[in-house]
Amino acid sequence: MRNRSRGVIVVAAIVAGIAGAWLAARLLQAQGPAGAQAVVPGQFSPYTAPRTADGHPDLNGIWQSVSTANWNLEAHGAAPGAYPELLGAWGAQPGGQSVVEGGVIPYRPEALARRNANFAQRTTASVPGDGVDPPLGDPELKCWMPGVPRSMYMPYPLQIVQTPDSILITHEFNGSTRIVRMNWEEESPVDNTFFMGWSRGRWEGETLVIDVTGLNERNWLDRAGNFHSDAVHVVERLTPVSPYHIAYEATIEDPKVFTRPWTISLPLYRRMDRNAQLMEFKCQPFVEELLYGRFTKK
Amino acid sequence: MRIIVTLVVAGIAIVAAGAPASAHHAFASEFDARKPVKFTATVTKMEWINPHSWMHVEVKKPDGTTESWMIEAGSPNSLFRRGINKNTVKPGMVVVVDGYQARDGSRRANGRDVTLPEGRKLFLGSAGTGAPEEKK
Amino acid sequence: MSRRLRISLGVLAIVVVVVSVLAARGQIRWLPSALRGDTTAAEGWTPPTTPWGDPDLQGIYNYGTSTPLQRPQSVGEKPVLSDEEAEELQDQIATRLDRDRRDGGAQADVSRSYNEIWMDPARMRLTADKRTSLLIDPPDGRIPPRVERPPTPEEQQARADAELSTRRFNTGFQESYRDMDVGNRCIIRRRNEGGGHPYLPAIYNNMAQIFQAPGYVVIYSEMIHFARVIPVDGRPALPDSVGTWLGDPRGRWEGNTLVVETRNFIASNDVGRTGVVYGNANPKTFRLVERFTRVGPDTVNYEVTIADPDTWTRPFTIMVPWNKTDEQIYEYQCQEMNYDMYHWLYGAREREKRGETFDPNAPGARGQGGEG
């Protein structure tokens, strides 16, 4: 009896040993050098960000989208861009995949026509006072503050400065800035006025949720002419998913323009250059000839 | 010994650091002191924007036709701080506009005073400066 | 006289002599502590720190005041007023500044737009310390003389051009967007007064909010939506090849004081009539050192030393208290809804079509065409 049970134990131990070795071999195959986890684009290992003193994920830092969403939120191939005879490859649009969940923005039919008209007139820079309302031309071209969510995926860095009561988000492009007031009840004092909206934030676990109202019908969502009305309501979600990435989502709701709410998502990358900083990018002087040159005395 | 402090205006910027009040915006460059306007009008739209707010109004003329005017006002941010907002000036409100017309003759005026409907003289500024009654 | 009294008087005499000598050598500033922009906090009050140990300057502030930048000549050498004198001066200034006034005729009336409700009420009050000037050094409270130098032919031409440009602006015959100043063009708040730096009180919008995070202090000016990110981590300044409108700051802590040095201004003043930096100084040699110190729960003292050996004969220092406010900061879009640029330019062309012409000697042509 004793011999048989000992034998069983030995066999079990051998089997376990082989199984373990097999499992280990499979795991090692999946690991990169030095035992790191496999890196798969689109996937992040579970991550808990370091905390600020008041116990929330720390989003402080300089971040930047690396995408072509600012050209076009929907999937797009390479294209000549504006004035190719002058700007050649500098001005050309690179190809890019859609950042819209589901791929396509759900426009109402009449709104889609407006989107296409926007694109056709994207370089016609009308100015306040010239009687054209809504104004023509891509607001980015005119050095206008790009609004939300567009400022989050412009190809320039942004800096998050986080305090318990309010979070400042400032962008290199034109020094555009917004203040996210945490747990704030008061609504925007005015409608259809603020280019960077009226932002109120709260924490949901690892995620900063920002509710944005008070945006402006003059904002565009990208250079392709995608747009919204003054009725737009944007809800953003920022979740740190690694020391170097924030998963950024924005849900856009605007019954005047779209048939249903829709969501974009893309990563924000931490700028890791030594001494990374936002540089001043005041584009106002660069657009004056474009905007006002036609009124110069001949 | 009490030093009687008097203001010496000539050559000294008495006003706090910034430009003297009269040089603000050089309104004289755009609006004509010889073209004062005063009318009662109905608000069609209020733009609470920077650098200057704009109030759009319809003025009814004696012959029954209406004219659209734009009235320029200040930066609205200090008004927001006092709780003045989109609910304070709404389309349909009847206001009294007192100002000066644009030099180029267009239907645009510098809103010197804008008085909201009775009981809501919010735009007439602070009380009791003792300034003499304006003669126009 | 008793022996003790003699000794006491003797000691007193020695003290007086020593202090006088030191003062004459500039090693003691005679101004009382409130006037020196002293960084000493009120008795019995401990300045707060952030969780990571930096002095906490955070809050929303209004630095509006009616205290003049320079000491008025009528006050003589008096650096501080008594309570009665302060009240009288404050009332006089407030009456003069009041924009509800309708005396002065139509021309003054046009210039006084808009009425008082659009202005910052904080600018009707002197600073709490009742100084007669915001300028605290030189001790006479006046900006030092400018360096006298015969202008080069290019400088003379530039001045003549700028003068004509100003007159075209003042009379409504602007030729192009360059006849507007940098504030009216929404590039920077005019001459960096308040919307950049130095932060000097203006007739409206003296609002700033200070945010802090490890390694940074950020000062957000409402007008023209400018978040000034000041690293305090000791990183080097940018090379001189980088020029900016608002400069690139570097900060460090000296005790409870944030010291900020700013360089990297655009090298050329050929940007329109009003230049890039304060006082139309030379942006290549202009130096700005600012000091922020919390001196009480509701007050941060802001002290700025301005120097440009190419422009002024010596540096000068200004102190402005920043007062905490319960009010909020709102968006100040500028470029986007700047109707005025169109109105000025289109209006000028329309008047020309009707045969009106620019007269550089028309009434109202002279004088600084001003801030938008």
Side-chain angles (χ1 to χ4, degrees):
Chain A
M1 186 82 110
R2 262 178 94 194
N3 281 342
R4 194 168 7 151
S5 52
R6 192 188 293 167
V8 169
I9 289 166
V10 167
V11 168
I14 291 169
V15 168
I18 293 168
W22 176 85
L23 260 173
R26 289 303 305 272
L27 277 171
L28 275 169
Q29 252 181 356
Q31 286 175 3
Q37 290 292 323
V39 175
V40 179
Q43 289 181 21
F44 290 92
S45 305
Y47 172 73
T48 305
R51 270 23 200 172
T52 55
D54 64 321
H56 295 296
D58 187 343
L59 300 182
N60 279 297
I62 298 174
W63 304 89
Q64 187 168 337
S65 159
V66 180
S67 71
T68 60
N70 187 51
W71 282 96
N72 192 337
L73 292 173
E74 297 177 330
H76 49 280
Y83 305 108
E85 68 278 11
L86 291 173
L87 294 174
W90 274 13
Q93 171 184 285
Q97 300 187 58
S98 179
V99 298
V100 179
E101 287 179 10
V104 174
I105 299 170
Y107 277 102
R108 298 168 66 95
E110 69 278 9
L112 189 58
R114 159 97 186 268
R115 191 275 302 272
N116 297 337
N118 280 350
F119 181 73
Q121 295 166 307
R122 64 199 185 283
T123 62
T124 306
S126 68
V127 296
D130 71 3
V132 181
D133 197 24
L136 296 173
D138 183 354
E140 180 198 353
L141 182 71
K142 301 189 253 186
C143 186
W144 288 7
M145 291 194 283
V148 178
R150 188 176 186 182
S151 50
M152 302 300 286
Y153 47 82
M154 298 274 291
Y156 309 108
L158 58 98
Q159 184 154 358
I160 296 178
V161 182
Q162 180 176 335
T163 80
D165 293 333
S166 54
I167 298 176
L168 181 91
I169 305 179
T170 189
H171 301 268
E172 187 171 281
F173 185 78
N174 192 10
S176 309
T177 305
R178 58 171 164 149
I179 295 173
V180 179
R181 294 177 171 87
M182 299 303 289
N183 307 308
W184 195 260
E185 292 190 358
E186 189 190 306
E187 303 211 350
S188 175
V190 288
D191 297 329
N192 196 15
T193 297
F194 296 143
F195 280 74
M196 297 299 283
W198 181 256
S199 294
R200 292 175 285 176
R202 66 181 187 275
W203 287 101
E204 285 181 5
E206 297 302 298
T207 300
L208 173 64
V209 181
I210 307 178
D211 186 286
V212 189
T213 54
L215 283 164
N216 201 308
E217 66 181 351
R218 300 169 192 88
N219 292 122
W220 284 15
L221 293 166
D222 56 28
R223 293 180 176 183
N226 287 308
F227 73 103
H228 57 72
S229 79
D230 62 342
V232 72
H233 176 212
V234 179
V235 180
E236 301 166 286
R237 302 178 68 86
L238 286 82
T239 311
V241 289
S242 94
Y244 312 104
H245 306 87
I246 290 174
Y248 176 78
E249 288 177 11
T251 299
I252 294 153
E253 182 180 355
D254 187 341
K256 286 197 207 171
V257 178
F258 312 114
T259 56
R260 58 168 173 80
W262 50 284
T263 301
I264 60 170
S265 72
L266 46 96
L268 297 177
Y269 297 77
R270 187 187 290 277
R271 287 292 299 265
M272 285 299 292
D273 319 57
R274 195 186 305 275
N275 292 328
Q277 70 169 81
L278 268 56
M279 301 290 282
E280 182 185 279
F281 187 6
K282 281 197 163 288
C283 37
Q284 290 90 340
F286 310 148
V287 304
E288 285 177 310
E289 192 56 38
L290 169 70
L291 297 177
Y292 302 113
R294 65 187 188 273
F295 305 113
T296 295
K297 181 174 181 173
K298 306 227 181 331
Chain B
M1 179 181 66
R2 181 166 166 270
I3 292 176
I4 295 171
V5 180
T6 55
L7 295 178
V8 176
V9 174
I12 297 174
I14 291 295
V15 298
S22 62
H24 178 65
H25 182 92
F27 294 113
S29 95
E30 191 181 348
F31 300 100
D32 195 337
R34 297 163 303 179
K35 294 186 183 152
V37 295
K38 184 163 186 152
F39 45 69
T40 302
T42 305
V43 176
T44 53
K45 180 163 76 162
M46 181 71 201
E47 292 188 272
W48 297 99
I49 52 177
N50 290 295
H52 294 109
S53 285
W54 286 91
M55 180 185 278
H56 301 257
V57 300
E58 290 267 302
V59 187
K60 193 177 260 179
K61 299 205 303 190
D63 64 4
T65 57
T66 58
E67 248 179 21
S68 297
W69 279 71
M70 277 175 83
I71 312 299
E72 188 172 35
S75 163
N77 293 33
S78 57
L79 271 62
F80 297 159
R81 285 188 249 289
R82 298 174 208 182
I84 294 171
N85 57 30
K86 63 189 177 191
N87 297 316
T88 312
V89 180
K90 291 171 134 162
M93 267 186 178
V94 175
V95 298
V96 176
V97 174
D98 179 358
Y100 296 88
Q101 186 172 10
R103 280 180 182 269
D104 67 359
S106 58
R107 291 199 293 266
R108 198 167 78 237
N110 181 5
R112 182 68 183 92
D113 280 324
V114 176
T115 310
L116 299 190
E118 49 280 330
R120 307 211 64 204
K121 291 188 175 237
L122 285 173
F123 281 25
L124 209 42
S126 46
T129 60
E133 202 65 52
E134 168 260 328
K135 308 171 183 50
K136 252 220 286 244
Chain C
M1 203 189 285
S2 76
R3 186 187 140 91
R4 190 177 292 167
L5 181 58
R6 264 202 301 262
I7 291 171
S8 302
L9 283 174
V11 168
L12 178 61
I14 291 167
V15 166
V16 167
V17 167
V18 167
V19 170
S20 300
V21 168
L22 289 173
R25 291 173 58 187
Q27 282 168 303
I28 297 181
R29 284 151 75 180
W30 270 112
L31 300 174
S33 64
L35 306 176
R36 273 209 312 270
D38 193 36
T39 58
T40 309
E43 219 37 81
W45 176 78
T46 314
T49 55
T50 62
W52 56 94
D54 284 345
D56 193 336
L57 299 174
Q58 294 177 97
I60 302 176
Y61 299 92
N62 185 324
Y63 49 85
T65 178
S66 57
T67 301
L69 176 64
Q70 300 187 81
R71 187 168 304 145
Q73 279 166 2
S74 57
V75 178
E77 296 297 311
K78 210 169 204 271
V80 177
L81 299 174
S82 69
D83 286 352
E84 306 85 59
E85 290 163 339
E87 207 173 305
E88 184 180 340
L89 179 62
Q90 184 169 281
D91 283 347
Q92 284 183 352
I93 295 177
T95 301
R96 189 171 177 279
L97 290 179
D98 177 37
R99 296 171 80 86
D100 291 342
R101 296 170 59 182
R102 302 312 292 264
D103 60 327
Q107 197 63 42
D109 215 36
V110 172
S111 300
R112 281 194 187 118
S113 268
Y114 312 99
N115 60 26
E116 194 52 41
I117 195 142
W118 300 91
M119 302 302 154
D120 183 356
R123 89 200 192 288
M124 299 303 229
R125 292 190 293 277
L126 299 174
T127 56
D129 54 16
K130 301 187 284 293
R131 283 177 291 143
T132 52
S133 63
L134 295 176
L135 220 143
I136 57 173
D137 187 63
D140 68 354
R142 304 201 55 78
I143 294 177
R146 289 179 90 99
V147 171
E148 291 290 331
R149 194 174 68 245
T152 65
E154 292 80 20
E155 281 171 339
Q156 277 183 313
Q157 185 61 52
R159 283 180 206 179
D161 290 346
E163 178 59 29
L164 268 183
S165 172
T166 300
R167 296 192 193 192
R168 284 195 297 268
F169 178 82
N170 286 344
T171 54
F173 285 100
Q174 295 91 332
E175 286 185 352
S176 78
Y177 53 86
R178 283 185 63 107
D179 280 341
M180 267 47 93
D181 69 30
V182 291
N184 289 325
R185 291 156 71 188
C186 286
I187 300 174
I188 53 174
R189 191 171 185 180
R190 183 168 170 252
R191 286 205 291 267
N192 291 340
E193 287 163 2
H197 24 280
Y199 300 101
L200 296 180
I203 59 175
Y204 62 89
N205 214 313
N206 301 295
M207 300 292 293
Q209 183 165 358
I210 300 181
F211 297 78
Q212 287 176 254
Y216 295 99
V217 177
V218 181
I219 304 176
Y220 181 58
S221 293
E222 186 174 88
M223 178 177 175
I224 303 173
H225 66 78
F226 169 49
R228 189 176 179 208
V229 178
I230 303 167
V232 292
D233 58 5
R235 66 178 66 194
L238 294 176
D240 286 343
S241 53
V242 179
T244 63
W245 287 91
L246 290 166
D248 199 75
R250 293 291 180 263
R252 64 179 185 276
W253 296 103
E254 287 180 2
N256 281 326
T257 298
L258 173 68
V259 181
V260 183
E261 299 198 36
T262 304
R263 305 168 50 156
N264 296 97
F265 293 99
I266 291 173
S268 161
N269 258 335
D270 180 28
V271 293
R273 299 188 260 122
T274 46
V276 181
V277 296
Y278 182 81
N280 265 9
N282 183 341
K284 282 196 272 261
T285 47
F286 179 76
R287 290 287 175 261
L288 194 70
V289 180
E290 298 160 283
R291 293 181 160 80
F292 298 83
T293 313
R294 182 179 288 288
V295 296
D298 295 327
T299 314
V300 168
N301 275 359
Y302 169 68
E303 198 178 288
V304 52
T305 301
I306 297 167
D308 179 15
D310 200 43
T311 303
W312 295 286
T313 52
R314 52 159 283 181
F316 52 101
T317 301
I318 298 165
M319 198 281 270
V320 184
W322 285 28
N323 299 307
K324 202 166 207 181
T325 170
D326 292 329
E327 296 179 335
Q328 289 292 317
I329 299 246
Y330 296 91
E331 177 177 296
Y332 192 102
Q333 69 281 144
C334 194
Q335 162 91 337
E336 294 80 0
M337 298 308 295
N338 193 359
Y339 279 95
D340 297 321
M341 289 293 289
Y342 173 84
H343 290 152
W344 279 318
L345 290 169
Y346 181 82
R349 303 290 84 79
E350 282 298 294
R351 293 171 71 197
E352 283 158 3
K353 276 188 207 158
R354 294 203 298 257
E356 295 181 51
T357 51
F358 168 53
D359 172 13
N361 297 307
R366 289 163 211 255
Q368 271 306 301
E371 174 175 2

